[in-house]
Amino acid sequence: MSKYIIEGGKRLVGEVPVIGAKNAVLPILAATVINNNTSTIFNTPNLRDVEIMEQILISIGCKVNRVDNVIFVDSRNISKIKIPEELVREMRSSIILMGAMLTRCGEVEVSYPGGCEIGPRPIDLHLKALRQLGATIEESHGFLYCKAEKLKGCDIQLDFPSVGATENIMLAAVKAEGTTIIRNAAREPEIIDLQNFLNGIGAKIHGAGTSVIRIDGVDSFTSVEHTIIPDRIVAGTYMVASAITGGEVILKNIEVEHIQSIIAKLKETGCMIYNNCTTLKIIGPKKVNAIETVQTLPYPGFPTDMQAQMIALLSIANGTSIVTETIFENRFKHVEELVRMGANIKIAGKVAIIKGVKELTGAKVTSKDLRGGAALVLAALAANGTSVIEDTFHIERGYDGLEKALLALNADIKKT
C-alpha cells in the first residue's frame, strides 16, 4: 500500500490548478450509454473511481479511449446488461448506471454498490423512484434486476434531496413517455453539469440547480462534446491547505459560486480571500480563529465532503469550535487519527467538539476514507515533525496528483 511522508511546518505558496469534478464526471460517464453514439469528455481527472467507471463501460460493450484529460466513449455497441460485481463493489457511484441502462436497454442487473465506509447510504430513494417511473425491480442475494418495457413520466417527491437519486431519475426519465417532475431535488452544481451534458445529447431538462427539475421525454439522442466543471471539494481542500499553513495560494480554474459556503467559513477563521469568477487567492492567518458552529447541509450549505478538512484546521484554532455532521453517520473516523497527532477533539453523536491546541505533532496515521485521508494530509502539513499517512489509495480516489500539487506549493511531501 502506498503512503505519504510529510515533514510539517512548510508555508504553502504558489498557484495550483483545479481539475474536473469527480462527482460530476462519474454520472456523466454513466450517461454516455444513453445516446447510442459518441461522447467526448474534457477536463476529466485521473482518478481510480474514473478508471473503474471506464472499465464498467468497457465491460458492457462501449469503446473507451483516454488521452490525457480527455475521455472518448463510443456506446453504439452495448452488448451486456450485467454490471460486473467486482467493479460495482469498489465504487458507490456505479449505482447511477441503473437509470442510464434502463433508458438505453430497458433492463440492467447490478449488485449493491460499495465505496467509502462512511455510514449507511441506502439506495431506497433510487429504487422507489425507478419503480414510480414504471420499472420492476427484483432484489435477491445482494443483486438488483431492473426491467422496464416502457418508462412513463410522473411526479416524484424525494424524501431527502439525494444527489444520487436525483441523478438516477434524470438518467431514467430522459426517454420516458411524457413529463417527469422531481420535487425536493438535489441542487448541487454536479446536477447542473449532468443536465448540461444530457441536454447536449438532445434531452429536454430544465430546473437543475433548483429544488424542482422538469424532464420532458424525447425519442432520440446525438453525439456530444462536454467539459466537466471544476472540483469544488478539491478547491476547498487546497484552500484549507493554505489556511492551515498560514500560506498564500492562488487557485486557478474554479467556479467561485460553487464554493461560497467554504469561503464564508474560512473567512471566519481569519483567512483573507480575494477572487474573481475563475481565480481565487487565499492568505492563511497567523493564528486560526475558532468557529462557533459549522453544520454540514445539502448544497448550498456547507458540504459534508469538507467536514473532515475543516476539523483538521480547527484543531489548531484559538478556542473551541463545534462541528455537526447532518448528512452521514460514521463520518468522524479521521478524528481518532487527528487525536494521535495531538488534537483535542471529543465526539458526541453527530457533533464534534474541537478545542484548539497550540500545535499538532507528526505521527504515523491511517487514511480510512477519502476526505478523512485528505484531512490527515492537511494536519501533517501544519504539524511539528514528520507524519506518515498510510492507505493513501482512499485519498487517490478523489485527488488527482495531490502530492505533486502540494510539492509545487512548497510542501515537503513524498509518496512511497
Side-chain angles (χ1 to χ4, degrees):
M1 294 293 182
S2 62
K3 59 186 177 184
Y4 292 145
I5 301 173
I6 300 173
E7 184 69 32
K10 295 277 190 175
R11 182 173 183 260
L12 298 194
V13 178
E15 295 186 0
V16 59
V18 177
I19 192 63
K22 163 186 177 282
N23 290 334
V25 70
L26 295 176
I28 285 172
L29 284 174
T32 62
V33 308
I34 290 174
N35 68 346
N36 190 19
N37 216 305
T38 59
S39 304
T40 305
I41 315 298
F42 298 96
N43 198 33
T44 58
N46 185 17
L47 302 172
R48 175 61 180 159
D49 278 11
V50 176
E51 181 184 334
I52 292 169
M53 186 62 82
E54 291 178 50
Q55 291 176 15
I56 290 173
L57 293 176
I58 291 169
S59 74
I60 61 176
C62 296
K63 294 180 180 178
V64 181
N65 184 34
R66 181 179 190 122
V67 179
D68 296 327
N69 291 324
V70 183
I71 294 180
F72 306 90
V73 181
D74 183 342
S75 63
R76 285 175 288 193
N77 295 306
I78 289 179
S79 56
K80 297 179 181 177
I81 62 157
K82 185 175 181 178
I83 312 299
E85 178 183 4
E86 65 274 12
L87 297 177
V88 173
R89 293 196 180 279
E90 279 197 57
M91 184 182 64
R92 180 174 177 79
S93 298
S94 54
I95 200 68
I96 55 178
L97 280 153
M98 292 175 65
M101 288 292 286
L102 282 172
T103 290
R104 174 63 189 278
C105 303
E107 57 183 332
V108 61
E109 184 178 338
V110 62
S111 68
Y112 276 90
C116 281
E117 297 295 331
I118 56 175
R121 293 187 284 178
I123 60 170
D124 298 359
L125 293 178
H126 301 242
L127 304 184
K128 179 181 177 182
L130 293 176
R131 286 184 171 117
Q132 285 179 262
L133 286 164
T136 58
I137 303 174
E138 297 178 8
E139 305 176 52
S140 179
H141 303 292
F143 284 85
L144 299 164
Y145 179 69
C146 313
K147 188 171 184 178
E149 290 186 9
K150 180 66 178 177
L151 294 171
K152 293 186 178 182
C154 61
D155 275 24
I156 298 172
Q157 176 78 35
L158 289 175
D159 297 327
F160 177 83
S162 161
V163 173
T166 300
E167 291 167 343
N168 237 337
I169 297 165
M170 292 169 68
L171 293 169
V174 289
K175 202 175 180 180
E177 182 181 303
T179 298
T180 300
I181 304 290
I182 311 173
R183 306 185 191 279
N184 196 27
R187 299 164 58 187
E188 275 73 1
E190 294 80 11
I191 301 292
I192 301 174
D193 208 26
L194 178 60
Q195 172 183 275
N196 291 342
F197 174 86
L198 290 171
N199 285 346
I201 66 173
K204 292 183 179 179
I205 307 175
H206 307 277
T210 75
S211 60
V212 180
I213 299 175
R214 176 189 175 104
I215 305 125
D216 295 312
V218 298
D219 293 325
S220 61
F221 304 96
T222 186
S223 61
V224 68
E225 293 185 353
H226 181 83
T227 300
I228 301 296
I229 59 171
D231 196 311
R232 59 196 172 97
I233 305 303
V234 170
T237 302
Y238 288 139
M239 290 167 70
V240 175
S242 182
I244 203 169
T245 63
E248 187 171 328
V249 173
I250 296 173
L251 277 64
K252 311 284 285 188
N253 183 39
I254 61 170
E255 289 283 349
V256 170
E257 190 59 35
H258 296 172
I259 55 175
Q260 287 298 328
S261 63
I262 302 170
I263 290 172
K265 288 302 176 184
L266 287 177
K267 283 183 175 179
E268 286 186 40
T269 69
C271 293
M272 291 188 291
I273 299 175
Y274 311 92
N275 62 266
N276 56 32
C277 294
T278 60
T279 303
L280 178 145
K281 181 178 182 178
I282 175 166
I283 303 172
K286 290 183 178 180
K287 185 60 182 177
V288 177
N289 298 328
I291 297 179
E292 184 175 337
T293 181
V294 180
Q295 182 174 345
T296 64
L297 291 167
Y299 188 87
F302 190 85
T304 180
D305 281 352
M306 282 299 301
Q307 173 255 105
Q309 299 92 311
M310 184 59 70
I311 285 180
L313 176 62
L314 295 174
S315 69
I316 60 166
N318 184 20
T320 300
S321 305
I322 305 294
V323 175
T324 305
E325 174 58 60
T326 71
I327 307 298
F328 291 122
E329 297 177 26
N330 200 26
R331 202 164 197 184
F332 287 130
K333 287 186 175 182
H334 50 282
V335 167
E336 61 181 313
E337 301 300 302
L338 289 172
V339 169
R340 290 169 62 87
M341 301 177 73
N344 185 350
I345 307 170
K346 304 295 182 187
I347 302 298
K350 295 183 178 181
V351 177
I353 303 164
I354 308 116
K355 293 183 179 180
V357 297
K358 185 176 180 181
E359 69 176 11
L360 298 173
T361 305
K364 186 176 182 179
V365 293
T366 302
S367 169
K368 297 180 179 179
D369 59 66
L370 168 53
R371 306 306 175 184
L376 297 179
V377 171
L378 298 174
L381 292 173
N384 180 15
T386 303
S387 297
V388 178
I389 302 169
E390 298 186 322
D391 291 353
T392 58
F393 66 91
H394 286 298
I395 301 170
E396 291 159 2
R397 287 185 50 241
Y399 295 89
D400 184 351
L402 178 62
E403 76 283 356
K404 294 178 182 178
L406 293 174
L407 270 173
L409 293 175
N410 193 44
D412 187 342
I413 177 174
K414 63 179 179 180
K415 178 181 174 181
T416 62

